[in-house]
């Protein structure tokens, strides 16, 4: 049993002990994402997906909900302004990003014997954050503290050396520091984005998140050439998230911060496993792909 298999067993053992709540590693509103009209919180994979978008507002609406709330009425396929005066062009901004949420629909069909049986079909709906809807003020009045002004996270030497090695030898794509509370890997333009270290709750969370995006970047066609999945609801997308998070844990172990990040890693993994119907084999498959990513990173030339 190699070191990666031992680490994977540690993750599996943690998963078998029950549910661990996932904590968003970077600073921002801690209110759960919810529908603006019903105030009903999103659960499961939808809660995770919407929490990762980086918006300040926790509220979400469908396009139709936004238009109806603002006073428009649908006539045929067009929305007509029913307020006073000229149409103020309220609603979802043209440049905003649609986000998919998943929901299960129970359907029924009769078998060969004429007995009715139920089965589940997964559907998705498109929602938009209140920050990107013109005409609706966010009622969330609690001010969001600028934690970056109060937090003074310290750089961790072992982690910095690892990232510098990968960056300076061009083993990974450029890392861009930005002001939004979200980290990501853009596989189309091939770069990594992250808030600065003080945008995270803890130093260890900064590096664990950055390691996650670094593993994602190894999936680029010029590196390990993995399939990312075209949509967040696809099983391939979920598998890639498992690979990135397990690979992040491997890097955390190499740099000595795994004990501080293991619980959040397991919490993140269990969320995506739910999307894959708790298939226990997926951890082993994803672990194997994460090992391949680690082998690729290990080939980085050593700096003098």
């Amino acid at each position: 049993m190699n070191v990666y298999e031992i680490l994977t067993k540690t993750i599996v053992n943690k998963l078998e002990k029950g549910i661990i709540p996932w904590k968003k590693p970077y600073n921002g509103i801690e209110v759960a994402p919810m529908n603006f009209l019903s105030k009903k919180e999103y659960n499961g994979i939808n809660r995770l997906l919407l929490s990762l978008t980086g918006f300040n507002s926790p509220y979400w609406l469908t396009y139709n909900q936004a238009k109806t709330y603002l006073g428009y009425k649908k006539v045929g396929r067009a929305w007509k302004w029913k307020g006073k005066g000229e149409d103020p062009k309220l609603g979802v901004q043209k440049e905003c990003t649609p986000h998919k949420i998943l929901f299960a629909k129970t359907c029924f069909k009769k078998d060969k014997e004429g007995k009715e049986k139920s089965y589940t079909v997964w559907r998705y709906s498109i929602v938009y954050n209140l920050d990107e809807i013109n005409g609706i003020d966010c009622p969330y009045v609690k001010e969001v503290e600028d934690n970056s002004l109060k937090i003074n996270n310290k750089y961790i030497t072992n982690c910095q050396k690892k990232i510098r090695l990968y960056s300076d030898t061009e083993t990974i794509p450029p890392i861009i520091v930005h002001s939004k509370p979200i980290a990501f890997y853009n596989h189309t333009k091939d770069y990594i984005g992250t808030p600065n270290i003080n945008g995270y709750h803890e130093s260890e969370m900064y590096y664990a998140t950055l390691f996650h995006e670094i593993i994602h970047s190894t999936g680029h066609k010029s590196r390990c050439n993995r399939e990312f999945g075209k949509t967040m609801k696809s099983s391939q997308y979920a598998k890639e998230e498992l690979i990135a998070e397990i690979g992040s844990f491997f890097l955390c172990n190499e740099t000595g911060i795994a004990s501080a990040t293991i619980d959040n890693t397991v919490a993140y993994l269990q969320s995506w496993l739910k999307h894959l119907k708790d298939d226990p084999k997926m951890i082993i498959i994803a672990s194997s792909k994460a090992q391949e990513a680690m082998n690729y990173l290990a080939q980085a030339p050593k700096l003098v």
Side-chain angles (χ1 to χ4, degrees), residues 72-81:
Y72 289 84
K73 186 176 181 179
K74 198 168 188 180
V75 180
R77 294 185 177 183
W79 287 93
K80 301 294 184 180
W81 172 243

Side-chain angles (χ1 to χ4, degrees), residues 41 70-71 77 88-89 103 111 129 168 181 190 199 224 236 240 253 296 299:
E41 294 183 0
L70 288 165
R77 294 185 177 183
K89 307 297 183 183
F103 62 93
D111 60 19
N129 189 270
D168 289 358
D190 195 26
C224 296
Q236 197 58 53
E240 175 62 24
N253 181 72
Y296 167 80
Q299 296 174 11

Side-chain angles (χ1 to χ4, degrees), residues 10 27 36 48 172 200:
T10 300
N27 299 315
F36 174 65
L48 176 63
I172 61 173
Y200 290 77

